[in-house]
Amino acid sequence: MFMLAITNATLVTISGPIIKKGTIILDGGKIVAVGKDLTIPSEAEVIDAEGKYVMPGLVEAHCHIGVMDFDRNDDDNQFDADGAPNGSAGFGPAVTPELMSYYSFNPRHVQVKQSLAAGVTTMLTRPGSGKIISGMGMVVKTYGKNRKEMVLLNPAEVKMALGENPKHNFGSRNQSPSTRMGSGALLRDAFIKAKAYMAKREKDPETPLNFQMEPLVKLLKGELVAHVHAHRADDIMMALRASDEFGFKLTIEHASEAHLLLDELKKRNVPCILGPSMARTKVETARKDFASAGILERAGIKVCITTDAGVVPQEYLRTCVCLCHRAGMSEAGALRAMTLTSAEIIGVADRLGSLDVGKDADVLVLNGHPLELMSQVEQVYVNGRLAFDIDRDKEAWEMA
């Protein structure tokens, strides 16, 4: 793997100040130097990036790319990412924590390539939100020779959902849960069973392994985090109460009414993955607004932005963040909301999210400030390799 030095660029480091006329050196898949007036090793290839901006690769904390197809019913037990029934086949039980995205992920899905071209180099992809507990998501890079090279963290979470999606999906089939009370009962029932199973295994290690219970035991032990789909304030509170009762860590996904619960989220130190804010497709999303990101930020709540791709195409992640900035989120907070904060929330900040020595060489070159809508991603490096180049990889019609 060759050494590369990108010079004369405006370096948006995220973790520190912006560096004008800076240099970043990549070697062996890692960032090995960042700063001004660096001595460039003779063996390095040099790219003069005068007038360009360099920043870390974007991190999407919540999507379904490669795990679900959005116009087919061959993924994820016949429901789409928005929770609507998709086909007439059986839906399975409402609690399936044992399902793993790893066994469904298609690394050559067209949306993986589209995400890479927009600068998204890492994403947490997962099952949908039609069940109370739908399975485990994983963190992958959007570029690599194969699945093994792309997967960073597996499993990365246990996905849960409250509100209209599971209620509608099962209620429309005359199955439980058809109400929010039913959703709460099933969630508590799953954790009560998991606690009993964990106690039995601790007392008698010869107790047969129950692979449906094992992900929930990891939650109870703090080894995994629950990512809970919840739009409305009462659904968010149901998730927080379950966390209080059983002691598991959680994030709130979508969080359309999180700005109504600032004190509750702050005192529990619960992060929010906000969005997608471009569409109000369900009654429970009526209060969603781009201004929520700034409100949560000013309250001291950790917040990042999601497209929920393919609900909103992932190439619009930076657009969504720009709109949050325009609606009141600070510049620093907005830049972090698509890089370091999202990496922190999904557990990969030791490798990603900022231009720091020792981190993965996942780097973007843009022709303008990252929060300007007209700016384009021109090159994407993943693990120090040129994964996308606008001149090399765009077709003529895309450049018109």
Side-chain angles (χ1 to χ4, degrees):
M1 193 170 291
F2 69 94
M3 180 182 291
L4 177 69
I6 304 173
T7 65
N8 292 320
T10 298
L11 303 180
V12 183
T13 63
I14 305 297
S15 59
I18 290 176
I19 302 172
K20 301 281 188 182
K21 296 283 184 183
T23 295
I24 182 168
I25 301 176
L26 316 178
D27 188 28
K30 298 289 184 181
I31 298 171
V32 297
V34 182
K36 289 179 71 73
D37 304 321
L38 299 180
T39 299
I40 299 174
S42 58
E43 65 269 32
E45 178 181 332
V46 178
I47 295 176
D48 186 347
E50 185 172 6
K52 310 293 185 184
Y53 284 74
V54 173
M55 69 177 297
L58 308 186
V59 179
E60 165 71 88
H62 177 128
C63 75
H64 308 276
I65 289 178
V67 176
M68 300 173 64
D69 272 333
F70 284 80
D71 57 353
R72 296 171 62 87
N73 65 358
D74 58 355
D75 288 308
D76 209 32
N77 294 330
Q78 293 81 47
F79 60 92
D80 63 30
D82 208 31
N86 188 357
S88 58
F91 198 58
V95 177
T96 57
E98 71 277 14
L99 297 182
M100 299 189 74
S101 299
Y102 183 84
Y103 296 107
S104 178
F105 181 63
N106 173 11
R108 297 292 171 255
H109 195 290
V110 64
Q111 291 179 354
V112 176
K113 185 177 179 181
Q114 291 165 343
S115 300
L116 175 70
V120 178
T121 55
T122 301
M123 58 188 184
L124 193 158
T125 188
R126 54 163 58 111
S129 305
K131 299 186 174 189
I132 301 300
I133 304 177
S134 54
M136 291 175 277
M138 63 178 180
V139 178
V140 299
K141 294 203 177 186
T142 54
Y143 180 78
K145 294 177 182 175
N146 49 47
R147 182 189 306 241
K148 182 179 179 182
E149 187 173 292
M150 296 169 75
V151 174
L152 277 186
L153 185 62
N154 178 46
E157 53 136 18
V158 176
K159 175 68 187 302
M160 302 180 183
L162 298 170
E164 293 299 318
N165 282 11
K167 184 171 80 74
H168 173 73
N169 282 327
F170 287 92
S172 64
R173 292 173 170 83
N174 294 319
Q175 298 173 8
S176 180
S178 60
T179 65
R180 281 179 163 78
M181 288 187 291
S183 296
L186 281 176
L187 184 63
R188 294 188 70 244
D189 180 66
F191 276 104
I192 289 169
K193 289 175 178 173
K195 285 187 70 173
Y197 165 76
M198 182 172 71
K200 190 174 182 181
R201 287 270 297 172
E202 288 173 350
K203 186 177 180 180
D204 178 9
E206 299 300 318
T207 300
L209 199 66
N210 182 328
F211 84 124
Q212 186 182 40
M213 290 289 104
E214 285 295 321
L216 301 181
V217 169
K218 289 183 182 295
L219 289 177
L220 292 170
K221 291 182 175 178
E223 296 171 1
L224 285 176
V225 176
H227 287 229
V228 185
H229 163 120
H231 285 279
R232 225 168 67 179
D234 54 346
D235 294 322
I236 295 172
M237 280 307 306
M238 184 186 292
L240 296 179
R241 291 189 191 100
S243 170
D244 292 344
E245 180 178 0
F246 296 102
F248 61 86
K249 294 183 288 187
L250 80 166
T251 69
I252 300 298
E253 311 283 314
H254 308 304
S256 296
E257 293 186 0
H259 56 282
L260 304 178
L261 296 168
L262 298 178
D263 291 342
E264 298 291 344
L265 294 163
K266 181 75 182 295
K267 71 183 181 185
R268 294 175 174 86
N269 195 28
V270 174
C272 292
I273 299 175
L274 193 69
S277 299
M278 281 189 169
R280 297 185 177 97
T281 55
K282 290 173 285 191
V283 63
E284 62 186 358
T285 62
R287 292 175 186 262
K288 71 164 59 173
D289 195 288
F290 286 107
S292 295
I295 295 170
L296 294 174
E297 179 196 21
R298 290 189 291 278
I301 295 167
K302 184 173 287 191
V303 56
C304 70
I305 308 303
T306 178
T307 61
D308 199 12
V311 175
V312 171
Q314 202 163 63
E315 48 265 47
Y316 296 120
L317 175 59
R318 193 162 56 86
T319 302
C320 292
V321 173
C322 289
L323 294 172
C324 290
H325 176 45
R326 189 181 72 175
M329 194 176 207
S330 72
E331 177 178 331
L335 290 168
R336 283 183 61 99
M338 55 181 166
T339 53
L340 188 55
T341 299
S342 43
E344 290 170 348
I345 291 175
I346 65 175
V348 292
D350 59 326
R351 292 182 56 175
L352 302 167
S354 60
L355 300 183
D356 287 311
V357 172
K359 288 201 172 182
D360 291 6
D362 295 358
V363 171
L364 313 182
V365 180
L366 300 94
N367 62 4
H369 192 285
L371 295 179
E372 290 290 338
L373 282 173
M374 295 300 289
S375 299
Q376 281 188 302
V377 175
E378 295 188 337
Q379 283 90 35
V380 180
Y381 293 88
V382 177
N383 297 327
R385 297 199 300 262
L386 182 60
F388 169 78
D389 182 278
I390 195 168
D391 293 323
R392 183 192 68 184
D393 299 322
K394 287 281 189 182
E395 297 184 35
W397 67 268
E398 295 178 283
M399 303 290 284

